[in-house]
Structure formats: structure tokens, C-alpha cells
Amino acid sequence: MTERTTSSRWVQSIVQALTLAGLDCPRLFHELHLDYDALDDPEARFPQDGITRLWYRAVELTGDPAIGLRMAQVIRPAAMHVVGYALMSSGTLREGFARLLRYQRIIAEGAELGMIETGEGCVLSLRIHGDALPPARQAAEGALASLLAFCRWLTDTPIVPLQVRLQSAAPADLAPYRDLFAAPLCFGAEQDALVFGNADLDRPLPSANEALALVHDRFAGDYLARFASDRLSHETRQILCRLLPQGEPKKEAVARMLNLSARTFQRRLQEEGTSFQVLLDETRRTLARQYLAQPELRLLEIAYLLGFSDPSNFFRAFKRWFGTTPKAFRAGD
């Protein structure tokens, strides 16, 4: 079973929200063994359980169970990758929500959106699926808060949902929820959801652009197709990042972690146009560049973090990758 992942763009918004709460996110990422530098890579993705641990730890450090609602303060189209721009260019919110459902896997694979039409409007539901860890309530609350804030920003209208449904139990302090949603709240619901009225759903969007919407549809479709075709390669890179500090990973061990035989693993990587050795080399090269940007890390430490038991092998590999030595690379020579 492969890990679900979340786009770095969405994680970046989580980080901005946690920073508003006073947390030192670079330090927090280091503590949780998450790659903070990957936030700058729009194509990077984070493991779902890693983000779940991030929410758990944030609540533990701040004592604020409503911390997820802070995402409403930082949400922008880029947080949803190309999906945010596709929603912006839609004719109405109803049309935009249809696109959101179609492409939401780009934002987060662990999120499952649904839309049920009612006589008064529609119920936009959200279900977060965990991997090894049960999802944090802050993930769902942050997503609903962000979506509502984005809709208000997009329409330049203080949209008030007909109802906000939350699976979590009612907190001791309801004020943050009342202040943000300004709508009837239902805690202990069967699913997390926002209920919108027809007037809001069918109001023309100021940013509507049919031609741009089609362009964004194509970009989103291409991304999903590429993401699906490179899925095993992506999972392999993530596992390699976790295993390298323990020594050079073996193909058979990685295959077992993916519940594949070594032969099937090799064949499927070949179908994606790559191999285990190529992915190992590429992952080490990418991490080497990131580690060298951290002046507190000594070259010997970097060698071991990249799984080289003999530092001389690291120096030879680095010369092959970049045509220079790690010391010269770090100095900018």
C-alpha cells in the first residue's frame, strides 16, 4: 500500500498558519524529520502521516485545538496548486466546486470531497483518510475554514453557509468557530461539510474566464496523468529519503516496504522510464544540495545522512553530480 501525499503548496499554507500561532516551523520540521526546504519546490509532496504528526505536535505546543482555523488567514489560490486557479476562472462557485472535486487529489490524496445537491443548495463534504495514523481534526477544520475564506475572497462577499458540520466533538471554546464561520454549527456530525445556499453557488464570479478555465483544466489533467504514471517513482523517492540516514537502502528492502516483489518493483519502475539505481542517485543528489545549504552540517555528517558508509564514496559521487567538490560547492566557487 502506497502512502498518501499532500502538495507542498498546501503544506506551505499550513506552515504559514502555524507561524502565525508563534511556532518555529523550521525547528518543528527538523524535529519531525520533515524536509523544510521542499516547501520551495512546487512539485514536492509530503507524506500524509508526516502532516498529521505536524498537526498533533502543533496542538501540543500551543494548547490550541482550533489552530487549524488559522489557515483561513493565509489561504491564496497558489495553496491549491493549479486547482485554485481553475476554481477562480470558473463561472460560478457551483462550477468551481465541480472542478475542485475533479482535481482535489492534486492538493491532497488523503482528502475525499463530495457534493450533494439539495433543494436549497448543496452540501460540500470532506473526509480525511489517514494512513498509519488517524487524521487530525485540525486537517479537516483547516480545509473547511480555508475553503470558506477562499470563497469569500473570490466573490468579495461575506458568504455565510447555511450550516457548518464538523465530525469532532464540540470544543470548550466555541468562539473561534463562531467568529470564523458566522453560521449555525453542528458538532459530532457524520461528516465534515459546508452547506451552501443557491444564491451563493450561482452568483457569477468576478474572475470568471472560460478560456482560462479550459487552460487550467488541461494543466490539471496533465498533472494528474503525470502524477499517476510516476506514482511508484514518487513513493520510492520518499522511502529513500527516510532510509538513507540509516545507510544505503537495498532494492529488496524498498520493494518489501511497497508490498512488491523485487522483480515486480523493477519492472514497474522500468515502465515509468527509470530504475532503482537512478532514483537512488537522483535522491542523493537532491538531498546533497539541500544539506550543503545548511552551514551547521559538516561534510562528514552529510555523507552519512546520504547513506555513504565511506565518505570518500560521497566525495566521488558529488564530483560526478556537480563537477566540483562539496567544499567548493558550498563556498560558491
Side-chain angles (χ1 to χ4, degrees):
M1 179 178 176
T2 55
E3 283 185 314
R4 297 179 175 93
T5 60
T6 299
S7 165
S8 62
R9 304 294 81 181
W10 187 257
V11 178
Q12 195 172 71
S13 290
I14 296 174
V15 165
Q16 291 169 355
L18 299 186
T19 301
L20 282 179
L23 293 176
D24 181 346
C25 285
R27 182 175 180 178
L28 189 53
F29 269 56
H30 180 74
E31 175 188 332
L32 298 174
H33 305 292
L34 295 172
D35 184 2
Y36 190 80
D37 291 331
L39 292 170
D40 294 326
D41 180 359
E43 297 301 307
R45 301 187 70 87
F46 287 80
Q48 164 118 351
D49 281 349
I51 304 309
T52 298
R53 288 186 287 111
L54 179 63
W55 280 122
Y56 287 166
R57 185 64 174 139
V59 173
E60 184 179 1
L61 290 171
T62 63
D64 180 12
I67 195 171
L69 301 185
R70 288 181 178 268
M71 288 189 68
Q73 299 174 246
V74 300
I75 193 68
R76 291 295 181 270
M80 293 184 276
H81 211 283
V82 67
V83 187
Y85 298 106
L87 203 160
M88 279 184 68
S89 57
S90 300
T92 63
L93 280 183
R94 193 188 301 272
E95 182 183 322
F97 288 164
R99 284 191 164 91
L100 184 60
L101 264 67
R102 196 181 314 154
Y103 305 130
Q104 57 85 24
R105 284 187 65 243
I106 294 175
I107 305 170
E109 293 178 283
E112 179 185 345
L113 286 168
M115 188 165 70
I116 300 175
E117 298 282 350
T118 68
E120 294 181 315
C122 83
V123 178
L124 190 68
S125 63
L126 169 68
R127 188 175 299 279
I128 305 288
H129 298 282
D131 278 335
L133 298 175
R137 63 179 286 178
Q138 290 75 24
E141 292 176 1
L144 293 187
S146 297
L147 180 58
L148 181 58
F150 186 70
C151 291
R152 287 169 173 169
W153 174 80
L154 189 57
T155 60
D156 195 23
T157 303
I159 293 175
V160 176
L162 301 180
Q163 188 181 46
V164 176
R165 301 173 184 173
L166 298 168
Q167 281 188 300
S168 51
D173 184 8
L174 289 173
Y177 297 85
R178 289 172 175 159
D179 292 344
L180 174 67
F181 293 113
L185 300 170
C186 175
F187 288 95
E190 289 187 6
Q191 57 188 185
D192 296 295
L194 296 173
V195 184
F196 290 95
N198 285 322
D200 291 322
L201 289 167
D202 296 327
R203 181 183 290 110
L205 296 181
S207 53
N209 186 312
E210 186 175 355
L212 272 180
L214 294 175
V215 171
H216 293 139
D217 280 341
R218 186 172 72 251
F219 284 160
D222 289 347
Y223 182 94
L224 279 178
R226 188 175 75 253
F227 180 57
S229 66
D230 294 344
R231 192 67 177 89
L232 185 62
S233 300
H234 174 74
E235 287 295 327
T236 301
R237 288 189 184 95
Q238 288 195 315
I239 291 174
L240 289 173
C241 286
R242 294 203 307 272
L243 294 182
L244 278 169
Q246 304 167 31
E248 181 170 320
K250 302 300 182 185
K251 178 173 64 177
E252 293 75 14
V254 175
R256 283 196 300 272
M257 294 178 72
L258 291 164
N259 291 326
L260 298 172
S261 68
R263 178 173 296 181
T264 300
F265 180 44
Q266 180 175 304
R267 175 180 56 78
R268 287 183 55 186
L269 288 178
Q270 287 175 344
E271 290 172 355
E272 294 184 8
T274 188
S275 69
F276 177 77
Q277 193 58 47
V278 167
L279 292 177
L280 176 60
D281 207 46
E282 289 177 349
T283 302
R284 279 174 156 168
R285 185 179 189 275
T286 300
L287 290 174
R289 184 190 295 272
Q290 294 174 5
Y291 290 148
L292 282 169
Q294 302 177 44
E296 72 277 9
L297 288 177
R298 295 180 295 117
L299 296 183
L300 285 179
E301 289 179 295
I302 293 174
Y304 291 124
L305 285 172
L306 295 175
F308 291 100
S309 57
D310 184 347
S312 63
N313 290 335
F314 164 58
F315 294 120
R316 280 195 294 270
F318 195 92
K319 189 71 179 290
R320 174 168 51 84
W321 295 332
F322 298 104
T324 187
T325 66
K327 185 177 179 180
F329 186 94
R330 173 173 267 174
D333 297 338

